[in-house]
Amino acid sequence: MKKLVSLLFAGAVILGAYVLSFGMPASLTGLLPGASETVAEKAGPGAPAGRPQRPGGGATTVVVEPLKQEPYTDILRAIGSTVAQRSVNVVAIVAGEVTESLIEANAEVAAGDILVELDNRTEILNLEIAQAELDQAQQTVERYKGLLTNSYVTAVDVADANVAVRLAEAAVGLAKIALEDRTIRAPIDGRLGLSDVEVGDRISAEQVIVTIDDTETLLIEFELPERSIGLLEKGRAVLANTPVFTGRTFEGEIFAFDSRLDSVTRSVTVRARIDNPDRKLWSGMTFAIRLVNEIEKLPAVPATAITWSRAGSAVWTDTDGVAARVPVTILYREGDRVWIETDIAEGSSIVTEGAQKLREGGALLVDGAERRPRPEEPA
């Protein structure tokens, strides 16, 4: 008994929902007392006898708009940080005591400028010794050449003296290099970083003295999703913004990207270059990156025009007052606008509101005026 009551209740709910959505079926309307008179009165002149009609002639009220072609801007966004295109750590080649330090944090230096002087007294003496030995070897060669005609010196003696000169010259060269190593110079143009080196400190070989960044050109490294692969090419423009300079956009270009995707993030690493002639941008700053892709005009409709079924997405068209379902492929979506792929001609009327209530071939009521099918077409 309870099961029967439950079935009757469920049937009543379904029937009520159907009547609210689509009106009373003709087969049931005719059974109601006085239904024939009521239908005849509402049908109006020329309506078939005994045929019930919904208010408005059975038409569904909808809102339509013409199909338009609109451009779409696909924007890929990423976060990246900058490094100087040329950046070095200044390292001491030899150990020694600092006798002079010209390092000033954030100062601009040119390649070859002296940064630190180390104690070089030993190297100066070694150079003097090597120079004296060279002078002595050269004098020996000249003396042997003069004695060669008197048979006091053989050609072998002269050859040995020339070898001694070459060895002395090499010793002088080594002494000069050792002396130059006591002076630490800037290898590139750029801005100095912080340094703890002071006069009197003893530094060791391979110790980092200071950093130099040439920030005239900055490099930004960032990650883009897999779908960006078709857009990556050298020279492609990117836009960068930093919270340090609110409202200002810096333009750069891609100069390198990885040849494979990250197996975990499914993204590709990209490097872009930004000119920084005024050096306002610093190495290490964070940037919001935008890669803008302008796509040619495509059919665009409001998101409310898209309906779904087992067959996929579709839109409804208003063809001489008749609703027709046309399958479409969604390409892009932004806000309440959808770009689609379809064969529908530009300017065709697309149902943008009320599409969920439509059935194939149904009559439409647009902007308060009923759109009925033409006489030669079925209602």
Side-chain angles (χ1 to χ4, degrees):
M1 184 65 180
K2 292 182 179 180
K3 186 175 181 180
L4 179 59
V5 173
S6 298
L7 291 176
L8 292 175
F9 180 74
V13 171
I14 294 173
L15 179 60
Y18 183 90
V19 170
L20 290 176
S21 300
F22 303 104
M24 182 68 72
S27 57
L28 296 180
T29 305
L31 299 177
L32 297 177
S36 300
E37 292 79 0
T38 304
V39 170
E41 292 174 359
K42 293 184 177 180
R51 181 180 180 182
Q53 293 188 357
R54 295 173 56 191
T60 302
T61 302
V62 295
V63 176
V64 301
E65 70 173 43
L67 180 64
K68 299 178 181 178
Q69 298 273 345
E70 299 179 7
Y72 176 74
T73 302
D74 187 17
I75 301 178
L76 298 175
R77 303 179 186 273
I79 299 296
S81 59
T82 58
V83 295
Q85 184 174 15
R86 300 181 66 199
S87 179
V88 298
N89 292 328
V90 181
V91 177
I93 299 177
V94 296
E97 181 182 343
V98 177
T99 58
E100 184 178 8
S101 176
L102 302 177
I103 298 176
E104 182 180 350
N106 297 314
E108 296 287 342
V109 295
D113 287 352
I114 297 176
L115 301 178
V116 173
E117 291 277 10
L118 301 180
D119 183 11
N120 58 4
R121 291 174 295 177
T122 301
E123 286 69 29
I124 291 175
L125 292 176
N126 287 336
L127 178 58
E128 291 181 358
I129 293 172
Q131 187 64 53
E133 292 176 350
L134 175 60
D135 293 342
Q136 185 179 13
Q138 290 174 340
Q139 291 173 5
T140 300
V141 169
E142 294 299 326
R143 186 170 65 254
Y144 280 5
K145 287 181 179 180
L147 296 175
L148 184 61
T149 57
N150 298 327
S151 301
Y152 292 108
V153 177
T154 65
V156 175
D157 295 330
V158 175
D160 290 342
N162 284 327
V163 171
V165 169
R166 292 173 60 190
L167 291 174
E169 289 175 344
V172 170
L174 291 174
K176 288 181 177 179
I177 292 175
L179 180 59
E180 291 174 357
D181 288 344
R182 312 303 289 184
T183 301
I184 302 175
R185 300 177 182 272
I188 63 172
D189 299 345
R191 177 182 295 174
L192 295 175
L194 293 175
S195 176
D196 296 329
V197 174
E198 300 290 346
V199 174
D201 291 345
R202 184 168 183 82
I203 61 176
S204 59
E206 304 303 323
Q207 177 179 336
V208 176
I209 305 301
V210 70
T211 60
I212 302 179
D213 291 326
D214 181 4
T215 57
E216 186 173 2
T217 301
L218 292 177
L219 306 182
I220 302 180
E221 184 171 299
F222 51 95
E223 305 286 331
L224 287 179
E226 185 174 353
R227 68 186 181 91
S228 68
I229 292 178
L231 306 178
L232 297 180
E233 60 180 357
K234 291 184 178 180
R236 190 179 187 91
V238 297
L239 302 178
N241 297 89
T242 173
V244 178
F245 299 101
T246 305
R248 182 174 176 181
T249 299
F250 300 90
E251 296 186 4
E253 63 179 22
I254 295 174
F255 80 95
F257 47 87
D258 206 348
S259 60
R260 61 180 63 182
L261 293 171
D262 186 280
S263 59
V264 177
T265 63
R266 310 306 303 169
S267 60
V268 59
T269 301
V270 183
R271 290 176 181 171
R273 183 165 37 218
I274 294 181
D275 292 332
N276 184 34
D278 53 7
R279 291 181 169 82
K280 288 186 176 180
L281 303 178
W282 285 24
S283 179
M285 293 177 66
T286 300
F287 282 83
I289 310 298
R290 289 175 293 152
L291 181 62
V292 180
N293 181 33
E294 296 285 348
I295 298 177
E296 296 181 358
K297 290 184 177 181
L298 296 169
V301 296
T304 54
I306 303 295
T307 59
W308 297 88
S309 67
R310 293 181 179 179
S313 58
V315 297
W316 290 85
T317 62
D318 174 14
T319 306
D320 296 328
V322 177
R325 184 180 185 276
V326 181
V328 298
T329 301
I330 297 177
L331 300 178
Y332 307 102
R333 181 189 295 268
E334 182 177 344
D336 60 352
R337 206 70 177 163
V338 178
W339 283 258
I340 60 176
E341 181 180 355
T342 181
D343 295 331
I344 302 175
E346 183 178 2
S348 300
S349 295
I350 303 296
V351 176
T352 59
E353 294 184 27
Q356 302 296 338
K357 300 179 180 179
L358 296 180
R359 288 182 293 178
E360 190 73 29
L364 301 177
L365 185 67
V366 181
D367 295 334
E370 183 177 355
R371 300 284 301 279
R372 294 180 178 275
R374 292 176 296 182
E376 64 272 13
E377 295 179 347

